[in-house]
């Protein structure tokens, strides 16, 4: 069994994430493992770091017009941007089968007895109600919950009406029925029932699924296998637990997909343990990009399970990978050198960088100048040291 070193893994990951050799198109850049888009707009920085020449306006237009890419709730129930032709991988493959739990529905399962209606029935009714989006998109997530909860009220048993209209235990000012709808929207997205549209006045819009990615059949084993291969290519060596965490699946579902990919996986030794890699990856050590880059919060590169590969200090890791409000990171030579946060003003963006170690400041300013051109806005930089 081959032993893979940390340097080989670091070199491979930079190549796999297009951080050494840029992608030729946005669908290619997003095709590896997609872009998480939370907070909204952070995907643009991730795309900037993986493309040769582009502007934020051009990329946003590509997304808004559905030119090869789209946005929907996907991995871990988060808003995700991925190629239209990969809808089977980033949506269909996430669908739970009988006896498995759907991603992002733990809250709904906790009150299932009180609801008294099977999950499958509620989901089926919501899918019918989502047809309203074919006539007109809905602006804002809160309004979406309200519209769909009102529509479902006409379809659920009368015995559930009182509970449906009562106060939600999950959020202030929310009705119980609206909370149920909110939990169901992720499974509905995996079944291609809803997608994100262009933002309007700072709010997300929700629309019917694009015709270009309409579903043609059931969940294919090929799509499930492809999702595992994307994980291994982007984050390998890995195991089924890492795959489950990346996708948001519980282990029974993750093990089903993992088993389907058996012929695509090869066992290796890494960090004194046995893991899997995609059989098409060679892990030949190549030159790591020495330029300074700023990666956005939730950049795909930061989803790797072996965080010590990028940052050995455990205390500093807690500053980078937080429960909420993750910062962006400063990275050079395959390691995290600091964190950053930004504030958008009317005419400028303020960038506050906190460095853990010394970096090549000339390379940093080259990146910032290029990012200014990408955004079409001036950037004011403030640098401090931890």
């Amino acid at each position: 069994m081959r032993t893979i070193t940390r340097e080989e893994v670091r070199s491979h990951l930079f190549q796999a994430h297009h951080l050494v050799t840029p992608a030729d198109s946005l669908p290619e850049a997003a095709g590896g493992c997609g872009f998480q888009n939370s907070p909204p707009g952070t995907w643009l920085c991730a795309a900037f770091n993986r493309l040769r020449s582009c502007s934020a306006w051009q990329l946003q237009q590509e997304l808004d017009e559905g030119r090869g890419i789209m946005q929907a709730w996907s991995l871990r129930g988060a808003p995700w941007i991925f190629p239209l032709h990969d809808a089977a991988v980033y949506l269909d493959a996430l669908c739970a089968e009988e006896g498995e739990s759907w991603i992002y529905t733990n809250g709904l399962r906790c009150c299932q007895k009180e609801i008294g209606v099977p999950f499958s029935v509620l989901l089926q009714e919501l899918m019918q109600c989502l047809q309203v989006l074919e006539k007109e998109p809905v602006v804002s997530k809160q309004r979406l919950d309200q519209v769909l909860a009102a529509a479902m009220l006409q379809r659920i048993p009368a015995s559930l009406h009182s509970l449906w209209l009562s106060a939600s235990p999950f959020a202030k000012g929310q009705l119980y029925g609206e909370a149920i709808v909110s939990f169901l929207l992720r499974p509905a997205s995996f079944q291609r029932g809803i997608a994100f549209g262009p933002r309007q006045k700072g709010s997300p819009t929700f629309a019917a699924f694009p015709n270009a990615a309409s579903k043609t059949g059931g969940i294919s084993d090929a799509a499930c296998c492809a999702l595992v291969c994307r994980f291994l290519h982007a984050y390998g060596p890995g195991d089924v637990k890492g795959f489950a965490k990346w996708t948001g699946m519980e282990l029974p579902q993750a093990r089903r997909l993992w088993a389907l990919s058996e012929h695509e996986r090869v066992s290796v030794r890494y960090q004194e343990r046995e893991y899997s890699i995609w059989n098409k990856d060679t892990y030949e050590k190549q030159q790591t990009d020495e330029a300074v880059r700023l990666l956005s919060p939730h950049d795909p590169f930061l989803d790797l399970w072996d965080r010590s590969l990028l940052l050995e200090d455990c205390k500093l890791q807690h500053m980078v990978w937080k429960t909420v409000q993750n910062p962006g990171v400063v990275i050079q030579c395959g390691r995290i050198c600091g964190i950053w946060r930004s504030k958008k003003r009317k005419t400028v963006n303020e960038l506050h960088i906190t460095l853990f170690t010394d970096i090549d400041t000339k390379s940093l300013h080259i990146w910032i100048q290029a990012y200014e051109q990408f955004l079409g806005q001036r950037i004011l930089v403030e640098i401090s040291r931890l």
Side-chain angles (χ1 to χ4, degrees):
M1 185 184 298
R2 177 185 172 185
T3 296
I4 297 209
T5 67
R6 291 169 69 83
E7 287 304 314
E8 288 171 333
V9 171
R10 187 180 290 110
S11 175
H12 167 78
L13 293 182
F14 264 79
Q15 295 288 340
H17 285 265
H18 294 290
L19 292 175
V20 176
T21 305
D24 292 324
S25 67
L26 180 52
E28 181 187 350
C33 48
F35 297 140
Q36 182 175 338
N37 190 30
S38 54
T42 53
W43 77 278
L44 289 167
C45 183
F48 165 76
N49 278 310
R50 290 162 171 82
L51 291 166
R52 283 189 172 85
S53 178
C54 58
S55 72
W57 182 86
Q58 289 171 333
L59 297 185
Q60 191 64 55
Q61 285 295 107
E62 282 193 53
L63 175 61
D64 291 347
E65 295 174 7
R67 284 188 268 147
I69 60 168
M70 64 169 295
Q71 180 176 193
W73 283 300
S74 177
L75 305 177
R76 301 190 293 275
W80 220 265
I81 290 169
F82 52 86
L84 279 166
H85 60 73
D86 274 342
V89 178
Y90 290 102
L91 297 177
D92 302 3
L94 301 180
C95 290
E97 292 191 347
E98 188 174 354
E100 297 173 348
S101 299
W102 288 82
I103 295 169
Y104 201 84
T105 57
N106 282 342
L108 184 55
R109 279 185 289 155
C110 290
C111 53
Q112 190 67 55
K113 288 184 178 179
E114 188 175 12
I115 297 169
V117 176
F119 178 93
S120 59
V121 173
L122 290 172
L123 181 55
Q124 185 178 9
E125 295 299 338
L126 178 65
M127 293 296 290
Q128 292 297 315
C129 293
L130 283 170
Q131 293 178 14
V132 69
L133 298 178
E134 296 175 3
K135 299 178 181 178
E136 185 179 3
V138 173
V139 181
S140 91
K141 173 60 166 55
Q142 182 181 25
R143 181 59 182 159
L144 178 69
D145 292 344
Q146 293 170 348
V147 168
L148 294 175
M152 284 188 69
L153 183 64
Q154 310 303 317
R155 306 178 65 93
I156 58 176
S159 59
L160 191 57
H161 287 190
S162 177
L163 177 65
W164 199 264
L165 297 172
S166 65
S168 162
F170 302 102
K172 187 177 181 181
Q174 182 186 55
L175 296 181
Y176 208 119
E178 294 165 7
I180 293 173
V181 164
S182 186
F183 285 119
L184 290 170
L185 281 170
R186 270 64 174 189
S189 176
F190 305 158
Q191 295 187 118
R192 308 198 192 191
I194 185 171
F196 283 71
R199 294 180 70 84
Q200 293 185 19
K201 297 181 180 179
S203 295
T205 65
F206 301 92
F209 208 80
N211 290 332
S214 58
K215 196 168 184 178
T216 57
I219 306 169
S220 72
D221 288 352
C224 294
C225 181
L227 184 61
V228 176
C229 294
R230 302 292 173 92
F231 164 74
L232 290 176
H233 182 60
Y235 305 109
D239 59 16
V240 69
K241 290 183 179 179
F243 174 67
K245 185 175 182 180
W246 179 62
T247 58
M249 295 176 185
E250 294 193 358
L251 275 174
Q253 184 181 4
R255 288 191 180 111
R256 172 171 59 83
L257 273 66
W258 196 258
L260 290 170
S261 68
E262 183 177 8
H263 63 289
E264 297 276 2
R265 294 184 280 110
V266 174
S267 295
V268 297
R269 289 196 67 78
Y270 176 66
Q271 299 287 80
E272 305 301 322
R273 285 188 54 194
E274 182 177 336
Y275 291 96
S276 292
I277 62 172
W278 188 27
N279 61 13
K280 290 182 174 60
D281 288 329
T282 61
Y283 284 83
E284 295 176 356
K285 190 175 183 304
Q286 302 177 51
Q287 183 177 359
T288 302
D289 188 4
E290 295 184 1
V292 175
R293 294 178 184 273
L294 272 63
L295 303 184
S296 59
H298 300 293
D299 184 278
F301 192 70
L302 301 177
D303 267 346
L304 78 175
W305 62 269
D306 185 9
R307 294 173 175 176
S308 64
L309 191 70
L310 301 183
L311 186 61
E312 293 183 357
D313 190 317
C314 292
K315 291 183 180 179
L316 294 179
Q317 285 181 18
H318 291 301
M319 295 180 63
V320 173
W321 290 280
K322 303 168 72 68
T323 305
V324 293
Q325 296 183 332
N326 285 13
V329 304
V330 182
I331 196 162
Q332 184 179 30
C333 297
R335 290 175 174 81
I336 292 174
C337 307
I339 58 175
W340 64 273
R341 296 185 184 278
S342 65
K343 285 186 178 180
K344 188 174 182 180
R345 305 297 187 184
K346 286 185 178 180
T347 58
V348 299
N349 281 288
E350 295 178 358
L351 195 63
H352 301 272
I353 299 174
T354 303
L355 295 177
F356 304 153
T357 60
D358 291 334
I359 63 170
D360 179 358
T361 54
K362 181 179 179 180
S363 181
L364 170 63
H365 288 292
I366 289 174
W367 186 94
I368 291 172
Q369 288 172 3
Y371 195 52
E372 277 185 321
Q373 292 182 342
F374 170 76
L375 293 176
Q377 289 184 323
R378 187 182 171 201
I379 296 177
L380 297 179
V381 183
E382 178 184 287
I383 301 176
S384 61
R385 297 184 183 275
L386 193 64

